[in-house]
Amino acid sequence: MTTNRTREVQEVDYTRTSFSEIKEDLVQYIKRNYPDTYKDFKKSSFGSMMFDLVSYVGDQLHYYLDHNANESILSYTRDPEVAVRIIQSYGVSPALNPVGVGELAVHVLCPANSTGTGIDTNYIVTVRAGSKYRSAAGSIFTQMADKRLTADNSQIVGYNTVADGSRINYYVLKSTVPVVSGEEKTYTVDVGNYQRFLKVEIPDPSITEILKVQDSNKNDFFQVDHLSQNTIYKPIVDPANQDSLVKAILKPVPVPRRHIVEKSIDRTFLVFGHGSSQDLKTNAIAEPSKVTLKLSGKEYVASPKSDPTNLASSDTLGVAPQNTTITVTYRSNTVENTNAAVGTVTQVVEPILFFENEQLLDPSKVSFIKNNIEIYNEEPINGNISIPNTEELKRRYLGTYGAQGRAVTKQDYVSMVYSMPEIYGAIKRASIIRDTNDLRRNLNMFLVAEGANGKLQAPTNLLKQNVKTWIDSVRMISDSVDIYDANIINFGIDFKVVLKRNVNQQTAISAIKLRLFEELSSIPPEIGEPLYKTEIMRIIQSIPEVASVPILDGVKVSSIVGSSYTDYYYDVETNTSPDDSYIFIPENSIWEIKFIDDIKGTIVG
């Protein structure tokens, strides 16, 4: 009589993934299921070797699976290149290179009228966008918007008289113009036969903005957010000036020739569509009232939904260039040429001045005005000059995916500030607080920028205005947002240490100061983040020369004010926790260790 024995199926424990765990499970599996077939479990046996090899392969596979899983999530990735690609998949172009924005005071001459009592309005001049200026360090700054200097919108800050002093000859008009840092450069590349989704690299790691892409036939390729976007809105200047508050009219323009920009940490690519020039049929814009729903051969309509941005028909995702030469004009910024201290931008490099009916004016006066324009920056030109690392990229853009292009939560607002295009400047840290005392439950936003020396600094008025304009485009209609400068608290640190025997005291103190300064300054804290004295003690204790740090008075923190620091004094003693482990920082403030000499040490014991 034959007896069928059913072997019990042993479930595999998929949570055991390390080398030792896999090997242990394999050994137990063999002992349990093949007790009479294999019994040699000595370390020197052939079977033990096979267990080791299988365990090794399993451990490797689990490692790469875990690694790939972690690298696909922004919160866990460690590779900055992967972080940038994930952020771009959220529909955001991360700010990877520094850029600074600010305002320059421009002084322009204007002839006096015949009586000398005012300016001659025939010689009113417009300083055009694209005018270039230079700082004492050689950094180039470009004007971002036109400025027409009149008696109504400018200050009359001076004048000169004719030779005999009998009447005023010229008045000096002063106004401000917005500028952005960076040097304009061009790169040309020859393109051969037609290629779908042509990808061109611009070999410059310091690119902050693509200004223009044009082929040898003077055809412009416009930058879009995604290749399926076939319409852009261009500002058209209103020649009749029908509305004094509206400088330009937005006009939808189809762009069959278009490209997107892909970035990595130090590389920039232009990606074009997959259509050829033969696919280019028309530039006409669809009449909005006559946009037809494509039925695709059906006798019914499943949904009345229609894409309101689809004003031009395209099924090729744009036209790729072929058999031509592409010229790319871009703006380049480095850490050295981004920011400028007060009073350092004084050189006019390439002014663009416009006079109405210039052909009717006195050429000598026009030439004199053009040759005597002066500029001066009364405020610092600043922004964010640090290249963000992986951790900072995570902090800046982690909330972008959930925001979905609009600001609902407080984190959405902060993420949107960090996502502001580079051309408008960059904020180092941002925070937002709900004002519970306001009847509208107003939102208060606090910002801090970075100065020319890499230290924290209040953002300029223009930078805050850019943030306001950017936030207005994404905020909820019921939200009211006020923008303020965050208080900057400059701290000094006094520490006491017990050193090990036979240690050079001066070298040890210098090493401690350097380590503290690097770790406390490499990544600025968030606005409102406490300063942990326990973290300072941990850093000191990690120095090999240090034996111990006194628990009671090993670290003392003090507020510093003065000419090289902010004027905001902070009462450290009152705001220290009862257990002396951290210093409380208000929600509208941020702390900073500004200089390495603000850290002082004493050897005890």
Side-chain angles (χ1 to χ4, degrees):
M1 182 176 180
T2 304
T3 302
N4 294 326
R5 295 182 179 179
T6 303
R7 177 175 295 175
E8 181 183 354
V9 178
Q10 180 69 28
E11 294 184 359
V12 178
D13 187 355
Y14 293 101
T15 63
R16 297 171 65 81
T17 59
S18 67
F19 178 90
S20 58
E21 290 173 338
I22 295 173
K23 183 176 180 179
E24 180 183 348
D25 287 351
L26 287 173
V27 171
Q28 294 300 322
Y29 183 85
I30 296 299
K31 288 181 177 180
R32 181 171 56 252
N33 293 282
Y34 304 96
D36 300 326
T37 305
Y38 188 83
K39 299 181 180 181
D40 188 1
F41 294 98
K42 293 183 297 184
K43 291 184 178 181
S44 59
S45 67
F46 176 79
S48 183
M49 180 188 73
M50 295 304 297
F51 293 149
D52 287 345
L53 292 176
V54 173
S55 302
Y56 177 80
V57 172
D59 195 7
Q60 287 279 359
L61 291 175
H62 277 102
Y63 168 78
Y64 286 112
L65 284 172
D66 292 343
H67 175 77
N68 291 337
N70 288 336
E71 291 299 308
S72 65
I73 303 174
L74 184 59
S75 302
Y76 302 110
T77 182
R78 298 181 180 180
D79 189 338
E81 294 285 354
V82 175
V84 170
R85 287 197 292 270
I86 295 175
I87 291 168
Q88 289 184 114
S89 70
Y90 292 167
V92 178
S93 181
L96 301 177
N97 287 323
V99 64
V101 295
E103 289 182 333
L104 297 180
V106 58
H107 299 78
V108 177
L109 297 175
C110 186
N113 57 25
S114 57
T115 61
T117 57
I119 64 173
D120 186 344
T121 56
N122 294 318
Y123 287 87
I124 288 178
V125 64
T126 299
V127 185
R128 286 284 179 84
S131 299
K132 294 180 175 57
Y133 313 100
R134 182 186 291 121
S135 70
S139 302
I140 297 296
F141 297 89
T142 304
Q143 186 172 325
M144 294 188 292
D146 294 349
K147 185 69 176 185
R148 189 169 185 261
L149 281 77
T150 67
D152 296 330
N153 65 8
S154 307
Q155 293 178 275
I156 297 179
V157 295
Y159 62 88
N160 62 18
T161 60
V162 296
D164 60 4
S166 60
R167 61 182 178 85
I168 294 176
N169 193 17
Y170 283 90
Y171 286 98
V172 182
L173 274 65
K174 173 189 173 184
S175 189
T176 57
V177 295
V179 294
V180 62
S181 67
E183 180 181 356
E184 288 188 14
K185 299 180 180 180
T186 59
Y187 173 73
T188 59
V189 57
D190 294 328
V191 178
N193 295 330
Y194 163 69
Q195 178 182 341
R196 290 187 173 188
F197 298 113
L198 176 67
K199 193 171 187 177
V200 176
E201 181 179 1
I202 313 302
D204 188 338
S206 59
I207 296 175
T208 54
E209 182 185 11
I210 301 295
L211 302 176
K212 189 175 184 179
V213 178
Q214 191 176 74
D215 65 14
S216 54
N217 294 322
K218 305 301 181 183
N219 294 315
D220 290 326
F221 288 78
F222 295 92
Q223 181 176 339
V224 293
D225 294 332
H226 45 84
L227 288 175
S228 61
Q229 177 186 340
N230 50 27
T231 303
I232 64 170
Y233 290 87
K234 295 186 69 174
I236 307 299
V237 177
D238 181 8
N241 193 25
Q242 298 176 7
D243 189 338
S244 60
L245 298 179
V246 178
K247 297 181 180 179
I249 301 171
L250 281 176
K251 181 179 177 61
V253 177
V255 284
R257 294 183 176 90
R258 56 188 182 266
H259 69 87
I260 61 173
V261 176
E262 291 185 356
K263 293 183 178 181
S264 65
I265 292 298
D266 56 359
R267 303 176 72 183
T268 302
F269 300 90
L270 303 183
V271 181
F272 300 87
H274 78 77
S276 66
S277 57
Q278 287 75 21
D279 297 323
L280 189 57
K281 298 177 182 179
T282 178
N283 280 341
I285 303 175
E287 167 60 39
S289 63
K290 298 180 181 180
V291 175
T292 59
L293 294 174
K294 296 182 180 180
L295 303 182
S296 303
K298 296 182 295 186
E299 296 180 353
Y300 60 89
V301 177
S303 171
K305 292 187 298 181
S306 178
D307 184 357
T309 65
N310 190 21
L311 300 181
S313 178
S314 173
D315 57 359
T316 61
L317 298 178
V319 173
Q322 61 187 80
N323 299 318
T324 186
T325 299
I326 296 293
T327 301
V328 182
T329 305
Y330 62 91
R331 182 172 286 118
S332 172
N333 272 279
T334 62
V335 172
E336 290 76 19
N337 72 358
T338 298
N339 296 342
V342 173
T344 58
V345 184
T346 57
Q347 303 175 37
V348 180
V349 178
E350 188 181 323
I352 305 175
L353 304 183
F354 172 76
F355 296 87
E356 292 184 5
N357 303 316
E358 184 175 343
Q359 69 277 7
L360 303 178
L361 304 179
D362 185 344
S364 62
K365 291 184 178 180
V366 171
S367 177
F368 186 71
I369 294 172
K370 289 183 176 180
N371 294 329
N372 286 277
I373 180 174
E374 295 182 357
I375 51 99
Y376 183 86
N377 63 314
E378 298 176 339
E379 290 187 352
I381 298 176
N382 59 17
N384 183 0
I385 66 172
S386 300
I387 307 300
N389 54 25
T390 308
E391 185 62 30
E392 190 157 2
L393 285 171
K394 293 178 186 179
R395 289 194 181 198
R396 286 189 179 188
Y397 301 104
L398 193 57
T400 304
Y401 180 75
Q404 295 292 308
R406 81 278 186 260
V408 178
T409 67
K410 293 193 294 183
Q411 181 59 41
D412 291 345
Y413 279 99
V414 174
S415 296
M416 287 299 172
V417 171
Y418 289 143
S419 302
M420 186 173 68
E422 300 169 0
I423 185 63
Y424 304 122
I427 293 297
K428 189 63 177 177
R429 287 290 182 265
S431 175
I432 195 162
I433 304 169
R434 177 75 68 179
D435 189 350
T436 56
N437 296 323
D438 189 271
L439 294 177
R440 300 172 300 168
R441 294 181 62 79
N442 190 67
L443 295 173
N444 295 334
M445 178 174 287
F446 297 92
L447 306 176
V448 66
E450 198 172 45
N453 56 1
K455 306 303 179 183
L456 297 182
Q457 181 174 297
T460 60
N461 290 331
L462 180 60
L463 186 52
K464 287 186 288 188
Q465 180 62 41
N466 286 345
V467 172
K468 178 183 181 299
T469 303
W470 180 251
I471 288 297
D472 279 345
S473 66
V474 296
R475 69 177 177 86
M476 301 294 287
I477 193 171
S478 59
D479 284 346
S480 175
V481 182
D482 291 333
I483 299 177
Y484 301 95
D485 297 339
N487 297 320
I488 302 174
I489 305 172
N490 293 133
F491 280 145
I493 298 175
D494 289 284
F495 64 86
K496 297 179 181 179
V497 292
V498 178
L499 298 178
K500 295 178 180 178
R501 294 182 179 181
N502 302 321
V503 170
N504 185 295
Q505 297 183 355
Q506 185 175 359
T507 302
I509 292 295
S510 298
I512 296 171
K513 290 176 59 177
L514 181 61
R515 177 74 66 83
L516 281 173
F517 184 71
E518 288 178 345
E519 295 209 19
L520 297 177
S521 304
S522 58
I523 300 180
E526 296 295 334
I527 296 175
E529 180 178 333
L531 172 60
Y532 291 95
K533 297 175 70 173
T534 53
E535 177 65 12
I536 297 175
M537 296 180 69
R538 183 198 65 78
I539 296 172
I540 297 174
Q541 193 68 59
S542 67
I543 305 295
E545 293 85 355
V546 175
S548 64
V549 180
I551 297 177
L552 295 179
D553 58 348
V555 174
K556 182 180 179 181
V557 178
S558 58
S559 179
I560 306 177
V561 295
S563 58
S564 299
Y565 306 89
T566 64
D567 296 328
Y568 186 77
Y569 176 79
Y570 191 65
D571 190 343
V572 175
E573 184 176 352
T574 304
N575 291 284
T576 301
S577 63
D579 60 356
D580 199 37
S581 63
Y582 69 90
I583 298 170
F584 170 78
I585 303 296
E587 292 180 312
N588 64 346
S589 303
I590 184 172
W591 60 267
E592 177 189 36
I593 309 297
K594 193 166 187 178
F595 305 111
I596 191 172
D597 289 337
D598 295 335
I599 303 174
K600 298 178 174 59
T602 304
I603 300 173
V604 296

